[in-house]
Amino acid sequence: MQRPAPGTVMMLDCITDDDVGRKLRVAGRMLMYDPSTALVLLSLSSYGLLVDVSLVIDPDAVLSTVKWGGTLDPNVNYNWIHERQAWVWVMGWLERSEQDLPIPELPPYTSPPDVDPSIVLKALNVTPARDLDIVGLRSALAAMGELLPTTYPV
């Protein structure tokens, strides 16, 4: 049996149109989840990315109050959906939508990131990353030559 291809680890603020069609692994802060569209708005600094999580979540289970014996699988961690500003890792295929996707509405106290509504990451996996060192990740990727070093704070 063939192993699935790994996703390329990439900083969210380095994603370009050239990455469409690639399998990526991206870290960012989860700003908002819209259950009606199954879209998550992921951000890093002033950059944003729409993530389609329809393949990795069960909307009925997420909204359910029944934890055991109901529809919520005890082996799946859905807490990241409710934790605004939480760090998450997302792996999936970057795709271009034929029409612009709706950007989940943010609370009025949140500054909206710069988002291309025609690009979406179709999530295959979403994992909480509470202890993520984003500065260390950026440094490691820069050392490997995966991205240019940046001097601005994240």
Side-chain angles (χ1 to χ4, degrees):
M1 183 172 175
Q2 208 176 38
R3 293 185 72 187
T8 302
V9 177
M10 181 172 280
M11 298 301 293
L12 188 148
D13 55 355
C14 294
I15 294 173
T16 67
D17 286 340
D18 295 336
D19 297 311
V20 171
R22 294 180 65 196
K23 188 177 185 182
L24 302 178
R25 184 169 182 196
V26 180
R29 287 193 185 272
M30 204 281 292
L31 292 183
M32 185 59 66
Y33 165 65
D34 181 356
S36 66
T37 61
L39 289 175
V40 164
L41 181 55
L42 200 64
S43 82
L44 177 65
S45 188
S46 63
Y47 297 89
L49 177 66
L50 291 173
V51 179
D52 180 346
V53 295
S54 61
L55 296 176
V56 296
I57 64 158
D58 176 358
D60 294 330
V62 170
L63 299 173
S64 173
T65 58
V66 179
K67 299 254 185 223
W68 187 257
T71 59
L72 191 57
D73 183 347
N75 300 312
V76 178
N77 182 350
Y78 289 113
N79 291 335
W80 60 268
I81 291 175
H82 304 292
E83 296 176 10
R84 304 295 175 255
Q85 300 289 329
W87 288 105
V88 293
W89 276 108
V90 181
M91 185 165 51
W93 292 96
L94 192 67
E95 297 181 2
R96 178 171 302 286
S97 176
E98 292 182 14
Q99 54 187 341
D100 286 355
L101 298 170
I103 297 172
E105 191 172 327
L106 293 171
Y109 55 82
T110 305
S111 299
D114 183 28
V115 180
D116 181 344
S118 68
I119 293 186
V120 62
L121 187 64
K122 296 280 193 167
L124 300 172
N125 188 355
V126 179
T127 309
R130 287 180 185 84
D131 297 330
L132 178 65
D133 176 6
I134 199 73
V135 174
L137 174 64
R138 184 178 296 281
S139 296
L141 290 174
M144 292 173 18
E146 296 291 327
L147 62 101
L148 297 173
T150 57
T151 55
Y152 61 88
V154 290

